[in-house]
Amino acid sequence: MARTGFYPGSFDPVTYGHLDIIARAARFVDRLVLGVGVHHGKQALIAAETRMSLLDTVTRPIAAHTGVVIEVASFDGLAVDAARRHRAGLIVRGLRDATDFDYEVQMSQMNGAMAPDIETVFLAASPATRMIASSLVKQIARMGGDITLFIPKEAQAVMAEALAKPSH
Ligand code: ADP
């Protein structure tokens, strides 16, 4: 039976940390749906459609290399509802530090109470990408810093465009 995973996040922008989690999740799923959150009240720098097409572009090599089907979809409600809609039996999340751990474990337990049929699988961040956070990448970029170590070049172009808009 094919195993589908759902990996939700903001991906604003997608980083090498996310790509590490996606590549590693591809080892144990046949199909991975990347859920781009478009929640009301959560202001993103990059438009949802752009975050989605960017994710699609930068994950293509992983799909080609592993044979795993990688799909990108937006969602605006509960992750468990979106996971179910995409027929995913597990939710994938990355853990960087104790802050992630406390929040993620609590969330997975509440999700487990709501959807006992969906299991959350945590992957510990890899040492090389553990320090990367989209929020800090945005701060560094706003201050003119070099973000080439943290996000793929396709994402850098999108960031430059988003930051060039008058509202930023
Ligand atoms: P959210 O807004 O839900 O935190 P993010 O896009 O920041 O969404 O992150 C989505 C998921 O990716 C979360 O599980 C987060 O812990 C994980 N993640 C983010 N950055 C990294 C990283 N550098 N290494 C491993 N996991 C990460």
Side-chain angles (χ1 to χ4, degrees):
M1 200 185 78
R3 192 179 287 280
T4 296
F6 182 71
Y7 179 30
S10 306
F11 304 105
D12 185 39
V14 57
T15 70
Y16 286 133
H18 296 127
L19 289 177
D20 173 66
I21 297 295
I22 293 166
R24 289 164 59 205
R27 293 179 184 160
F28 58 83
V29 297
D30 307 292
R31 176 174 163 256
L32 186 62
V33 180
L34 309 175
V36 175
V38 290
H39 299 98
H40 294 292
K42 206 170 171 186
Q43 191 62 44
L45 171 65
I46 304 165
E49 302 73 43
T50 312
R51 280 181 277 154
M52 290 172 69
S53 63
L54 186 57
L55 261 178
D56 185 53
T57 304
V58 299
T59 56
R60 242 172 242 171
I62 301 174
H65 183 70
T66 60
V68 168
V69 175
I70 300 181
E71 295 169 18
V72 183
S74 65
F75 75 105
D76 66 359
L78 293 171
V80 284
D81 288 343
R84 203 171 267 143
R85 226 176 14 254
H86 292 285
R87 302 180 315 283
L90 51 92
I91 291 177
V92 177
R93 297 289 285 177
L95 295 179
R96 283 163 293 191
D97 53 21
T99 309
D100 273 357
F101 179 87
D102 287 345
Y103 173 71
E104 296 285 345
V105 168
Q106 186 179 16
M107 192 164 66
S108 73
Q109 289 169 347
M110 295 189 77
N111 280 339
M114 291 185 285
D117 51 322
I118 298 174
E119 189 61 69
T120 299
V121 175
F122 297 114
L123 292 174
S126 293
T129 48
R130 191 189 144 172
M131 73 299 192
I132 304 173
S134 295
S135 55
L136 290 177
V137 167
K138 281 182 276 196
Q139 277 190 40
I140 293 168
R142 281 195 183 100
M143 293 171 184
D146 181 6
I147 52 174
T148 55
L149 288 172
F150 312 129
I151 63 173
K153 63 176 187 312
E154 295 88 343
Q156 289 164 37
V158 165
M159 285 284 287
E161 208 169 298
L163 289 170
K165 288 198 181 131
S167 50
H168 293 286

